[in-house]
Amino acid sequence: MENMDKDIQQILLTEEQIQSKIAELGKILTEEYADKNPVIVGVLKGVVVFYADMIRQIKTPCQLDFMWISSYAGANSSGKMLVRQDVTADIKGRHVLILEDIFDTGNSLSFTVEHLLSKEPASLKICTFLDKPERRKPGVTLQADYVGYTIPNAFVVGYGLDYNEKYRNLPYIGILKPEVYEK
Ligand code: 5GP
Ligand code: MG
């Protein structure tokens, strides 16, 4: 059996650190969305693990929905986005919360926000588990309303995040060994 842990150079966030941050965010989001019946939109696929943990800490009724936009190929974003699967809820006049795994260059989130705003929600906020502000593309002024952890400029995997579709099921967030990309 192949051990994925051997490809990890450094564990950046442990399972315990991840869960304690989610509990903290959960308290804030529960208060913010009490009695608002928000639509919580997950941006697939990277968000699935964070999404499943996060919604269970938002202790007020909510509706779940997902969007799938064109994926990040390898370690470099092409910058080109397309909606592969749209939300199914009618979000006009609804309070919408986007959950994202990571806010990197900002291409994905800018695209997602613009797309969802065109549907005229009552409000639209962003909660990203990870933020890499150093990587932001010039001209992106968008900011996340809620951030789990701000991390340095490194390519991370695990907890939903992949490298060529691998490592999403690691329970922690780690930095890959450089030789893994060079293979
Ligand atoms: P952005 O559009 O902000 O550049 O990137 C957003 C998407 O790129 C994320 O949802 C994620 O899929 C991917 N991404 C950005 N940084 C990383 C990273 O460090 N590791 C992994 N695995 N994916 C990343
Ligand atoms: Mg993503």
Side-chain angles (χ1 to χ4, degrees), residues 43-47 69-75 77 79 81 100-110 130 132 135-137 151-158 160-164 166 168 174 181:
V43 185
L44 297 172
K45 291 185 270 189
V47 81
I69 60 175
S70 72
S71 61
Y72 194 84
S77 177
M81 299 289 154
E100 252 286 24
D101 46 7
I102 189 164
F103 189 6
D104 188 43
T105 63
N107 282 332
S108 312
L109 265 176
S110 304
L130 302 176
K132 284 202 287 197
R135 287 262 306 163
R136 209 77 83 239
K137 213 176 68 179
I151 62 166
N153 181 9
F155 189 77
V156 293
V157 295
L161 291 158
D162 73 308
Y163 173 60
N164 285 345
K166 200 174 162 187
R168 290 194 196 275
Y181 314 109

Side-chain angles (χ1 to χ4, degrees), residues 164-177:
N164 285 345
E165 294 302 326
K166 200 174 162 187
Y167 309 106
R168 290 194 196 275
N169 55 335
L170 281 177
Y172 55 81
I173 290 169
I175 298 175
L176 272 183
K177 289 180 180 163

